[in-house]
Amino acid sequence: MATCPECDAEIEVDEFDVDKGDQLSCPECGSNLEVVAMTPLELDLAPDDDEDDLDDDEEEKDEDEVDEDDEDDDDDEDEVEE
């Protein structure tokens, strides 16, 4: 038996059916939970996937900007050599 960290509801979870890192939903409040410990079984609020997606998008944008700057530098070098 585990407890929801959001609403303190007791959640019946079969310890043999879950592993550390698995996610599940609280039947009482609907919060997304993550298994953070196995013995004793402990749940915590799962990280919000939307925030992770935004972080990934920002990192890709930053990498693209760096690549464009590198291309501009290459063009400048060609003009100097001529």
Side-chain angles (χ1 to χ4, degrees):
M1 192 70 75
T3 304
C4 174
E6 187 72 18
C7 69
D8 292 326
E10 289 189 359
I11 302 173
E12 190 171 330
V13 180
D14 187 351
E15 294 180 20
F16 298 108
D17 288 341
V18 296
D19 290 317
K20 187 174 179 180
D22 285 354
Q23 294 190 356
L24 48 106
S25 180
C26 174
E28 294 293 320
C29 68
S31 293
N32 292 324
L33 307 173
E34 181 176 3
V35 177
V36 294
M38 294 300 297
T39 308
L41 188 63
E42 191 175 322
L43 304 173
D44 198 2
L45 292 174
D48 190 12
D49 288 339
D50 292 340
E51 290 178 7
D52 292 340
D53 291 342
L54 290 175
D55 291 343
D56 292 342
D57 291 344
E58 290 175 6
E59 288 176 11
E60 289 175 9
K61 183 178 177 183
D62 291 343
E63 291 173 6
D64 290 343
E65 289 175 1
V66 169
D67 291 342
E68 290 173 4
D69 290 343
D70 289 345
E71 290 174 9
D72 291 343
D73 291 344
D74 292 342
D75 292 341
D76 293 342
E77 290 175 9
D78 291 341
E79 291 174 9
V80 172
E81 291 176 5
E82 293 176 5

